[in-house]
Amino acid sequence: MKGLLLLFIASLLFITSSCTHVDSKEDLKIDQNTKQLIFFTDDQAYEQEVSYYDAIIELKKEFPVDIKNMKIITAANAKKYYDQFDIDRCPAILLVYKGNIVVAIKGETTKDQILEPLYTALKNK
C-alpha cells in the first residue's frame, strides 16, 4: 500500500511539474483564443482529489498540450478567484474559452464524471 501511495504522489509531481502554478503575486493570465484548463487544488487535502489527479493523468495521454498549459491554483490563492469562476471551494477543474466557462466540475466526484465533459469539450477544437 505504501508503494501505491508513493507511486501516486510521484505521478502527481510528474503531472504538475509541467503545469503553470499561479502564485499570489501574479494575475491569472488566460489566453482568450485557446481552451484553458484551471485546476483549483488544496494540497492539504489531496486524498479528496484523487479522482481529479486520475482524470488529469488520463487527459494528459490524449491532450498533452492542454494539460501542460493548465493553470493550477492552490487553496491559499484560490479565494480571490472564487467569485470570478463561480466556485466556492477546492477541488474544482474548469475549462474556460473566450471568457466563458465551458465545463465546471466542483467538489468530490468520480474520475468518469470529470473525464466525460472535459474530454468532449477538449476534443471539439
Side-chain angles (χ1 to χ4, degrees):
M1 192 61 160
K2 285 184 181 182
L4 182 60
L5 181 61
L6 182 60
L7 178 63
F8 172 72
I9 292 172
S11 297
L12 175 63
L13 290 173
F14 174 73
I15 288 171
T16 60
S17 67
S18 64
C19 301
T20 305
H21 290 270
V22 177
D23 70 26
S24 59
K25 296 178 193 129
E26 74 177 45
D27 290 328
L28 184 63
K29 295 179 179 125
I30 299 175
D31 181 358
Q32 298 295 322
N33 296 316
T34 62
K35 292 180 181 176
Q36 179 70 61
L37 284 166
I38 305 170
F39 180 40
F40 290 84
T41 182
D42 183 355
D43 55 354
Q44 300 298 315
Y46 65 88
E47 299 92 3
Q48 298 171 356
E49 300 178 350
V50 171
S51 58
Y52 286 84
Y53 303 139
D54 290 343
I56 290 168
I57 290 168
E58 290 293 317
L59 288 169
K60 186 173 184 175
K61 293 175 190 174
E62 194 74 29
F63 308 101
V65 173
D66 295 296
I67 297 300
K68 181 178 180 182
N69 294 325
M70 177 172 60
K71 305 285 186 188
I72 298 176
I73 301 175
T74 61
N77 299 319
K79 289 182 181 164
K80 67 182 181 179
Y81 298 109
Y82 282 176
D83 288 337
Q84 179 181 355
F85 293 109
D86 191 31
I87 62 169
D88 58 2
R89 62 186 153 87
C90 297
I93 193 164
L94 309 172
L95 181 64
V96 179
Y97 183 58
K98 296 196 183 259
N100 297 312
I101 299 172
V102 178
V103 176
I105 296 128
K106 308 170 192 175
E108 290 186 50
T109 186
T110 67
K111 177 179 89 170
D112 289 335
Q113 290 172 324
I114 297 166
L115 278 176
E116 288 176 25
L118 287 174
Y119 184 85
T120 301
L122 288 169
K123 187 173 71 171
N124 295 323
K125 290 197 176 196

